[in-house]
Amino acid sequence: PGGEDQFTDEFRVTLPGGEERWLEVTARVTRGPDGAATRMYGVNVDVTARKRAADALARYRVLWERTRDAMLFVRPGDWRVLDANRAAEEAYGYSREELLGLTLRDLRAPSTHTEIENQLRRADERGLLFETLHVRRDGTPFPVEVNSRGIDLGGERVLVSVVRDISERRAAEEELRRREERLRVATEGARVGVWEQGDGWFTCSPMNLEVFG
């Protein structure tokens, strides 16, 4: 039977220069009494930007949901948390809904509050990597490394912060410091060439330096 059919589809094309673009086609097909197509007309729309944005959003969503680091969206003006991932809930001990009712002051140790304004300003201007002290819901402080950068999102300026718990790193650094101090005390003044070596580090007494230069 005659009539018209309509369809919409997306396809990728490669331009002469090698650039790939995505097109969305909406077309109508006119059919004769025998059902055979007699005419087809439609519109092609370049949807490359939309496809790339969707792909970027999908990659971001995977990162947001699966990363082990806490991720926070923060409004620079009032420091309010706009969004938080699952890792942030686990790190701070709050639900996502509870986190959205907090500001950075609630997540930072009181001793660091005077630093917040300057750090957020620098992060918004050019991005900033820094270490500070955050607190969990039960008040337990823990050291973190924060990588924060300002972006425009949905017509609003926000800070995206990746917060990494560096408690284990700090503990390892402190253990290394204690080892070095014990070795220094034990060998100070002794005419004994003592040395100690671990994974990625080596230390020795002054006697070894005198002997081997």
Side-chain angles (χ1 to χ4, degrees), residues 16-187:
E19 180 185 4
E20 292 185 343
R21 309 291 293 182
W22 279 90
L23 299 179
E24 180 184 83
V25 57
T26 300
R28 287 182 177 272
V29 179
T30 302
R31 300 185 183 278
D34 60 354
T38 59
R39 180 188 178 203
M40 184 168 66
Y41 58 96
V43 175
N44 292 335
V45 178
D46 187 335
V47 294
T48 305
R50 188 182 73 193
K51 288 285 291 185
R52 289 174 178 170
D55 290 345
L57 180 61
R59 290 193 296 270
Y60 158 75
R61 179 55 61 182
V62 171
L63 174 65
W64 178 261
E65 294 176 348
R66 298 186 182 181
T67 181
R68 296 175 61 185
D69 295 328
M71 295 183 68
L72 302 173
F73 279 17
V74 177
R75 188 160 52 210
D78 57 9
W79 309 347
R80 184 162 298 281
V81 177
L82 301 176
D83 205 353
N85 66 350
R86 177 60 183 167
E89 296 181 66
E90 296 173 355
Y92 296 106
Y94 295 99
S95 68
R96 177 176 176 273
E97 290 70 24
E98 290 172 325
L99 283 168
L100 301 192
L102 303 179
T103 72
L104 279 186
R105 289 180 63 89
D106 301 308
L107 303 178
R108 293 276 294 260
S111 61
T112 71
H113 285 179
T114 58
E115 305 169 356
I116 296 177
E117 185 172 2
N118 180 53
Q119 288 170 338
L120 293 191
R121 178 182 55 78
R122 294 167 60 194
D124 189 28
E125 290 175 352
R126 56 184 180 275
L128 185 65
L129 179 67
F130 62 97
E131 294 183 5
T132 187
L133 200 63
H134 281 198
V135 290
R136 307 189 198 279
R137 182 173 187 164
D138 62 5
T140 303
F142 63 106
V144 296
E145 178 184 80
V146 181
N147 192 341
S148 186
R149 181 173 297 275
I151 64 170
D152 293 312
L153 186 64
E156 183 177 15
R157 189 69 175 175
V158 301
L159 289 173
V160 180
S161 296
V162 179
V163 183
R164 174 166 297 177
D165 186 337
I166 57 173
S167 299
E168 292 184 2
R169 183 202 304 176
R170 287 285 182 86
E173 292 172 350
E174 179 60 22
E175 176 60 23
L176 178 59
R177 188 196 66 77
R178 286 196 296 265
R179 284 171 179 256
E180 292 175 341
E181 180 62 17
R182 288 197 299 268
L183 182 61
R184 185 193 66 78
V185 172
T187 61

